[in-house]
């Protein structure tokens, strides 16, 4: 797989608001997947689908702890990427607002 394809796979996995919310939830460290439905107000099946995509892309790691599935961000650099991307998005929004406000 080429570098561009790997990057596209990574960004595709990040390209959903619920997956970004999961990463935000895990920002401070490992948590149980069982906490996500209440925190995100989503059904477990929906969360499981998003977690599977993030794990498959190598963005999250999961491990079993008895009956619980524990999740963590695989590489903290991904959080830096999200922070930088948020800055870019906000700068773009400010530019668009300035275009409409005299």
């Amino acid at each position: 797989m080429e570098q561009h394809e790997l990057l596209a796979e990574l960004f595709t996995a990040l390209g959903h608001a619920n997956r970004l919310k999961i990463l935000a939830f895990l920002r401070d460290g490992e948590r149980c997947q069982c906490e996500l439905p209440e925190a995100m107000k989503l059904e477990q099946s929906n969360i499981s689908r998003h977690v599977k995509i993030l794990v498959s892309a190598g963005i999250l790691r999961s491990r079993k702890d008895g009956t619980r599935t524990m999740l963590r961000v695989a590489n903290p650099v991904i959080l830096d990427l999200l922070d930088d991307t948020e800055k870019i998005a906000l700068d773009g929004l400010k530019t668009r607002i300035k275009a409409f406000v005299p």
Side-chain angles (χ1 to χ4, degrees), residues 19-89:
R19 293 193 280 272
L20 296 176
K21 289 177 186 176
I22 290 169
L23 290 170
F25 182 78
L26 297 171
R27 182 173 281 277
D28 294 327
E30 185 177 66
R31 305 281 294 267
C32 180
Q33 183 171 335
C34 63
E35 297 175 57
L36 284 167
E38 183 177 335
M40 296 182 58
K41 307 295 186 230
L42 293 172
E43 293 183 16
Q44 181 62 46
S45 60
N46 193 341
I47 289 169
S48 294
R49 184 173 60 248
H50 291 300
V51 166
K52 182 179 178 181
I53 291 167
L54 291 168
V55 169
S56 294
I59 296 168
L60 292 185
R61 296 276 186 263
S62 68
R63 69 175 180 86
K64 286 291 192 181
D65 182 16
T67 59
R68 299 174 357 139
T69 300
M70 305 302 291
L71 300 172
R72 66 178 172 83
V73 175
N75 185 335
V77 173
I78 196 75
L79 300 174
D80 296 334
L81 172 67
L82 294 177
D83 291 342
D84 291 343
T85 304
E86 183 177 353
K87 289 175 191 171
I88 293 166

